[in-house]
Amino acid sequence: MSALPFAFAYPAILGALIALPVIWWLLRLTPPRPQAEVFPPLKILATVLKREETPAQSPWWLTLLRMLLAAAVILAIADPVFNPRTSSLASGGPLVLFIDNSWASAPDWERRVQTADALIDDAESAGAIVSIAFSADPSNDATPGTASAAREKLRAAEPKPLVPDRQRAFEALRAALDGTRPGTLAFLTDGAASSDADGIVRQLSDLQPAELRVIEGDAAQTIAISGAANTADAMTVKVTRLGSSGAASVPLNAQDAQGRVIATGRADFAPGQTAVNAGISAPFEMRNDFARVSINTGATAGAVHLLDDAFKRRRVVLLSGESGDEFQPLLSPLYYIQRALEPYADLVRPTDANLSVAIPKLLANNPSVIIMADIGRLPEDTYAPLQRWISNGGMLLRFAGPRLAAAPADDPLIPVILRQGERALGGSLSWSEPQALADFPAFGPFAGIPRPTDVTINRQVLAEPTPDLAERTWASLADGTPLVTMNRMNAGQIVLFHVSAEATWSNLPISGTFVEMLRHLVQISRSGGVTSESSGSVRVAETLPPFRMLTAKGTLITETGNARPLIPNAKAAPVANFDNPPGLYGSEDGFAALNVLPDNAELKPLDMTGVNVVRAGLVGGESWSAKPLLFFVAFLLLLADSLIVLFMNGAFSRMRPRARTLATIAIALSAGLMLRPDLLHADDTQPGDDIIMQRLDNTHLAYVVTGEQDVDDISEEGLNGLTRFLTYRTTLEPAPPVGLDLNKDELSFYPIIYWPISAAAPMPSNAAISRIDAYMRNGGTVLFDTRDQIDSLEGGSDTTANGQRLQQILANLDIPPLEPVPHDHVLTKSFYLLSSFPGRYAGSPLWIEARQGSQNQNNANRPAAAADGVSPILITANDFAGAWAVDDNDTPLLPTVPPDETQREYAFRAGVNIMMYMLTGNYKTDQVHVPDLLERLGQ
């Protein structure tokens, strides 16, 4: 490209430079400077005696300054233009314009049109025909024609929010030329390669034009967003740029659905870096309100990244049937769930172990999913709010376990009817081997996940066969039994894994398939959160109609044009094209976002290696006028001249001194009202703190106050007797026992609570039962004593009144399956060696939590138990407190039945073993300590 360094738009004005000598002569003389004299008469008289002054010449530098001012004005009027454009089309063929009208051409599209128009003017002046093609149009008529026809096509063209399909446009151009060699082939490109194999420059060169001119414009400034992820702490945005010459810092804005900026961030590029991951920090709730993220300095479709429901981070509540064990995390029911979902969801754990209190608080946080791991029974007052929450779009995800296996069959929060008990596979009492998984059905959320070959199921809960069971089964075993079932409840869903959430029933939780299954389930949940007052459902259709379209300048419009419905593909993410341009597809109730660039794409420059091209710039880019600059210089010279004249005339010396400024008034602010000492003391020390500290410093046995004076007296005296026995026979020295009001007293201070059951006492409130349930869930143990020597918990005709009351209480508690204490249980050897656990009576067994696999596995192969194997519940009818109750002289208050002091001794020993079991757990069954125990025994 050849061009003069500069030219004048009005060269005739330069003739005014001849007048500069005249201006010099006029400005060389100046009147004498007035002098200011003080009043003293002698100095005035001395001045009078001076000879007459004549005009003197002005300083040479002042005259030069004024000459430069005049010259600058003359040159500015002449309008010098640097690098003016000249016509330089090659002859011998038609002018071919190959124009990128992609998203990246939107910022300087007007200049591109002006450049193309100027080339068409040159072709018209030369009498050449013009062929024109646009790379982002679905079809092109590139047949060479007149200049006026080319102008009409150019005026009708506009930038599209698409990556250019240069290959399609090139094929149309080559077919239209039909072997004709172009004269000048001008490629007005956006500068970015449309794919890794984009060889459009070489293909254009193969048309053998007389001149191949590449016009890029401001391609180096192109920048785009190619991905966004809602991580645990912030939103991560991938930003890519075309130019990489220097460092750059790009501002990012996150906007809501109304277009308001609610969070900001920055993408910092190092020299030579073309892609960077930036973060926008914001709270979880605010990030879920993001509707789009954009580059603050860009106004293109590529500088905008639309967000949909899939982007929103789900809030998932985790609930467990037992407390987590920080020393044995792998045994926690929620450990593997938490590890699987942490990268994809915001996990919330209850702050209160009392589910009656915790569940309403958790529902108030608008969760999308609630996960329950081995919870059989919920507090009665939580069923209604949970059902409302599910009906309004929530997803309840449950996992099986011993508690769920023992839950009532009519539980409304279980998706299918369960058979009572569990099915063991591969045990001594089973005819089946551990089962593998079958292929996931195509209609469920797990479609597309490969069937794992290394996952086996050893134990599960079974569903009763129903006509619609197959339709509600999302995963099954190789033998056809359901593994994951679901049921709709209005707009929500209840999903059940028929295995436990930890690795005791199967190795599914420790597989990668488990992560994928949970991620898919969370992904289909309602993204914005669900409240118990929400209404309506969000169902994504198989075909999504165009809803809002994205323009090339990055704005959303309602006009959908020729856009076709989007068909989601489960195997691959959709890519923007002519049929499905970028935008939102769906409706107000739910939509999917389709962006310009695929995820993690990077902008790369066009490959021009090995091709002889002539580079040129856009009209208005290379050529520029010096007129504004010269006028600005003239103004500065005029301002300097005026100041110099004022200074020489003494204007500054006659100015009055500035008035003194007022002194700054310091206003003392009070530091604040001092709190009264008595109020401070009242706030810091609550009533009863000394009692609480005392109970924390000592181990106390506790009993439930029933309200019946004689029952409560026996409970207190019984625990007093056991406390003294423990002090005499063991190193444990408990403090006096404590009576508890279940409605208000703190229960977590006590390792075990003795609860004497009395049918005559008032039925505990739902709140009290919920607090007991939370106490058991967090590792506490409750010893229920019906004191009536019943030998069955099945509720037969011989059930006593106290037994019926116990069943009423247990019906509202989430308890595991129970069994009598096995002969090899740690309770039989925690301190004394015992074979039974008598009290005042000796006929009732002591019921505890059933160990998993206890019926078909030997002791060495039993799975490890959480919480050190301590059962959260003990049940007896032998009246322990009646046997332990003694007066101050250690005289028994109640006789044993039959009268036998040996039985009372064994009752005390049973109490000691229970307390040691509470405090040490399965220590005695830990095989690691067997050598030390044998060494201490001298064996």
Side-chain angles (χ1 to χ4, degrees):
M1 181 183 65
S2 60
L4 294 175
F6 69 90
F8 289 94
Y10 308 101
I13 302 298
L14 297 177
L17 294 176
I18 302 176
L20 287 179
V22 178
I23 298 174
W24 173 275
W25 182 79
L26 292 175
L27 296 177
R28 61 188 298 269
L29 299 177
T30 182
R33 174 186 175 186
Q35 294 186 359
E37 299 291 346
V38 293
F39 178 72
L42 294 179
K43 194 167 185 178
I44 293 177
L45 293 176
T47 304
V48 172
L49 296 179
K50 290 182 179 180
R51 63 182 180 272
E52 181 180 358
E53 294 182 351
T54 58
Q57 294 182 352
S58 64
W60 67 267
W61 50 267
L62 181 60
T63 303
L64 178 62
L65 179 68
R66 291 172 177 174
M67 293 295 294
L68 292 175
L69 172 61
V73 171
I74 294 172
L75 292 175
I77 296 174
D79 191 11
V81 178
F82 287 81
N83 294 328
R85 180 185 173 277
T86 60
S87 174
S88 58
L89 291 183
S91 60
L95 168 66
V96 177
L97 298 177
F98 193 79
I99 303 175
D100 280 340
N101 58 332
S102 62
W103 64 269
S105 65
D108 52 4
W109 177 250
E110 295 301 327
R111 292 175 57 199
R112 292 174 182 271
V113 171
Q114 293 173 12
T115 302
D117 197 18
L119 292 173
I120 294 174
D121 290 342
D122 294 343
E124 188 176 28
S125 301
I129 58 177
V130 181
S131 174
I132 186 169
F134 300 93
S135 63
D137 284 356
S139 60
N140 281 283
D141 181 10
T143 303
T146 63
S148 60
R151 286 194 190 94
E152 291 180 2
K153 294 179 182 179
L154 182 63
R155 297 290 183 269
E158 61 181 6
K160 304 294 178 61
L162 294 169
V163 174
D165 191 347
R166 298 189 178 109
Q167 188 63 36
R168 177 186 295 205
F170 174 76
E171 295 297 337
L173 176 63
R174 182 169 60 179
L177 292 176
D178 193 20
T180 303
R181 294 183 57 183
T184 294
L185 195 161
F187 180 21
L188 279 75
T189 176
D190 59 18
S194 59
S195 64
D196 293 337
D198 190 350
I200 187 62
V201 178
R202 185 175 300 277
Q203 289 179 305
L204 292 175
S205 177
D206 291 341
L207 296 177
Q208 299 180 353
E211 177 193 26
L212 178 55
R213 187 179 302 181
V214 177
I215 305 174
E216 289 184 339
D218 298 331
Q221 304 300 321
T222 303
I223 190 167
I225 298 176
S226 61
N230 198 352
T231 60
D233 301 323
M235 182 178 74
T236 302
V237 182
K238 183 171 184 179
V239 185
T240 177
R241 62 173 179 169
L242 193 58
S244 59
S245 58
S249 182
V250 179
L252 300 175
N253 290 337
Q255 300 166 293
D256 61 8
Q258 286 73 39
R260 297 170 297 192
V261 177
I262 56 179
T264 59
R266 300 196 73 86
D268 296 320
F269 290 90
Q273 193 174 20
T274 59
V276 66
N277 289 322
I280 299 180
S281 299
F284 165 79
E285 294 82 1
M286 186 177 294
R287 278 184 279 128
N288 271 2
D289 287 337
F290 291 172
R292 58 190 285 173
V293 58
S294 60
I295 298 173
N296 194 22
T297 58
T300 65
V304 173
H305 193 82
L306 301 176
L307 306 173
D308 55 18
D309 289 347
F311 162 81
K312 296 181 179 179
R313 192 173 177 87
R314 273 64 168 174
R315 171 168 286 158
V316 179
V317 171
L318 303 181
L319 299 175
S320 173
E322 62 184 39
S323 61
D325 192 339
E326 60 180 354
F327 301 107
Q328 295 175 305
L330 299 182
L331 301 179
S332 172
L334 297 176
Y335 176 78
Y336 299 102
I337 298 175
Q338 184 173 349
R339 293 292 299 272
L341 291 180
E342 273 179 342
Y344 310 107
D346 184 57
L347 305 182
V348 180
R349 300 290 293 268
T351 57
D352 196 316
N354 186 351
L355 294 184
S356 291
V357 178
I359 288 180
K361 290 182 179 179
L362 294 172
L363 292 179
N365 290 328
N366 304 338
S368 298
V369 183
I370 294 179
I371 298 180
M372 294 183 180
D374 191 21
I375 293 181
R377 293 180 177 89
L378 289 168
E380 190 66 30
D381 54 353
T382 62
Y383 279 91
L386 277 173
Q387 288 174 307
R388 288 196 301 271
W389 173 80
I390 297 171
S391 298
N392 292 327
M395 175 183 286
L396 177 63
L397 179 56
R398 305 190 67 171
F399 285 85
R403 288 177 172 81
L404 185 67
D410 58 348
D411 191 333
L413 298 182
I414 294 180
V416 293
I417 302 175
L418 296 180
R419 295 184 183 180
Q420 293 297 309
E422 312 156 12
R423 181 178 82 146
L425 302 171
S428 59
L429 299 180
S430 173
W431 290 275
S432 300
E433 295 297 326
Q435 291 290 306
L437 270 64
D439 291 329
F440 295 109
F443 60 85
F446 309 138
I449 300 178
R451 181 181 67 86
T453 58
D454 56 346
V455 172
T456 56
I457 308 300
N458 302 319
R459 185 176 293 272
Q460 66 170 154
V461 292
L462 290 176
E464 291 285 354
T466 57
D468 60 345
L469 181 60
E471 300 174 0
R472 294 194 278 142
T473 300
W474 281 349
S476 59
L477 303 184
D479 63 1
T481 56
L483 176 66
V484 180
T485 56
M486 63 78 62
N487 188 27
R488 290 194 176 275
M489 183 180 290
N490 295 332
Q493 295 172 324
I494 303 175
V495 183
L496 172 64
F497 277 72
H498 290 239
V499 293
S500 62
E502 25 74 34
T504 56
W505 286 25
S506 72
N507 61 352
L508 175 63
I510 59 177
S511 68
T513 304
F514 187 70
V515 178
E516 289 298 313
M517 294 174 73
L518 289 184
R519 186 174 66 86
H520 280 66
L521 287 175
V522 171
Q523 196 66 37
I524 67 173
S525 66
R526 188 165 177 172
S527 60
V530 186
T531 65
S532 57
E533 291 78 18
S534 301
S535 60
S537 62
V538 178
R539 295 186 181 180
V540 180
E542 294 183 358
T543 302
L544 303 176
F547 176 52
R548 297 283 190 273
M549 294 294 102
L550 192 67
T551 67
K553 293 187 176 181
T555 59
L556 284 174
I557 59 175
T558 57
E559 296 180 6
T560 58
N562 297 324
R564 296 183 179 181
L566 180 67
I567 302 176
N569 187 351
K571 296 182 179 180
V575 178
N577 51 44
F578 296 116
D579 294 331
N580 299 121
L584 304 177
Y585 290 80
S587 63
E588 290 284 356
D589 295 331
F591 50 78
L594 183 60
N595 289 289
V596 177
L597 298 179
D599 286 343
N600 298 318
E602 292 188 16
L603 296 178
K604 298 180 180 179
L606 279 172
D607 184 10
M608 301 184 190
T609 57
V611 182
N612 185 21
V613 299
V614 176
R615 293 180 179 269
L618 297 176
V619 170
E622 291 186 348
S623 301
W624 61 279
S625 173
K627 179 190 236 182
L629 179 61
L630 289 173
F631 271 124
F632 181 70
V633 172
F635 172 75
L636 293 180
L637 293 174
L638 178 61
L639 182 62
D641 181 82
S642 301
L643 293 175
I644 291 171
V645 171
L646 291 175
F647 180 80
M648 293 177 63
N649 291 334
F652 293 104
S653 62
R654 294 193 298 268
M655 291 182 61
R656 293 182 179 180
R658 294 181 179 179
R660 295 181 180 179
T661 58
L662 298 176
T664 304
I665 303 175
I667 303 175
L669 300 176
S670 60
L673 297 176
M674 298 298 294
L675 296 175
R676 289 187 348 199
D678 55 340
L679 293 179
L680 182 62
H681 178 77
D683 288 339
D684 291 344
T685 306
Q686 298 293 336
D689 280 357
D690 53 343
I691 299 177
I692 292 176
M693 295 304 299
Q694 181 183 1
R695 293 180 181 179
L696 288 175
D697 289 341
N698 299 279
T699 300
H700 294 264
L701 307 183
Y703 65 94
V704 174
V705 177
T706 63
E708 290 191 74
Q709 190 63 41
D710 54 344
V711 175
D712 296 340
D713 289 344
I714 291 298
S715 297
E716 183 178 7
E717 295 299 336
L719 295 187
N720 262 324
L722 179 60
T723 296
R724 290 200 292 269
F725 193 89
L726 287 167
T727 303
Y728 297 153
R729 301 291 182 92
T730 70
T731 57
L732 178 63
E733 298 180 0
V738 176
L740 298 178
D741 184 347
L742 295 181
N743 290 302
K744 61 181 182 180
D745 288 336
E746 179 58 51
L747 308 182
S748 60
F749 299 152
Y750 314 101
I752 186 171
I753 297 176
Y754 178 76
W755 191 339
I757 302 299
S758 175
M763 179 67 184
S765 64
N766 290 334
I769 294 179
S770 296
R771 299 187 75 220
I772 278 290
D773 185 69
Y775 167 78
M776 297 167 62
R777 197 183 307 276
N778 280 345
T781 297
V782 180
L783 173 55
F784 294 96
D785 194 342
T786 59
R787 303 172 296 114
D788 53 7
Q789 195 180 347
I790 60 171
D791 57 1
S792 174
L793 298 177
E794 301 300 327
S797 58
D798 57 345
T799 302
T800 64
N802 289 355
Q804 293 177 358
R805 174 55 59 84
L806 176 62
Q807 291 179 5
Q808 294 173 2
I809 295 174
L810 297 182
N812 295 319
L813 292 175
D814 185 21
I815 61 173
L818 303 178
E819 66 178 354
V821 176
H823 66 88
D824 60 345
H825 196 274
V826 66
L827 263 173
T828 64
K829 52 192 174 185
S830 58
F831 194 84
Y832 294 103
L833 296 178
L834 299 176
S835 58
S836 62
F837 298 86
R840 282 189 66 209
Y841 314 110
S844 171
L846 179 63
W847 294 79
I848 62 170
E849 178 182 6
R851 292 176 294 181
Q852 297 185 37
S854 60
Q855 297 176 356
N856 55 7
Q857 297 180 8
N858 57 39
N859 187 48
N861 295 327
R862 288 195 183 110
D868 276 345
V870 177
S871 173
I873 182 173
L874 303 175
I875 299 178
T876 185
N878 286 337
D879 190 9
F880 282 158
W884 298 335
V886 293
D887 59 16
D888 295 338
N889 298 321
D890 290 338
T891 302
L893 298 181
L894 297 174
T896 60
V897 180
D900 186 359
E901 290 306 311
T902 302
Q903 178 176 323
R904 192 183 305 276
E905 174 67 20
Y906 277 99
F908 276 111
R909 294 186 179 185
V912 172
N913 274 26
I914 290 173
M915 280 303 301
M916 295 303 165
Y917 171 63
M918 293 300 105
L919 299 176
T920 63
N922 57 7
Y923 169 80
K924 289 295 181 65
T925 60
D926 193 343
Q927 297 299 312
V928 175
H929 304 287
V930 169
D932 296 329
L933 295 175
L934 294 177
E935 182 180 355
R936 291 187 62 184
L937 293 174
Q939 300 181 8

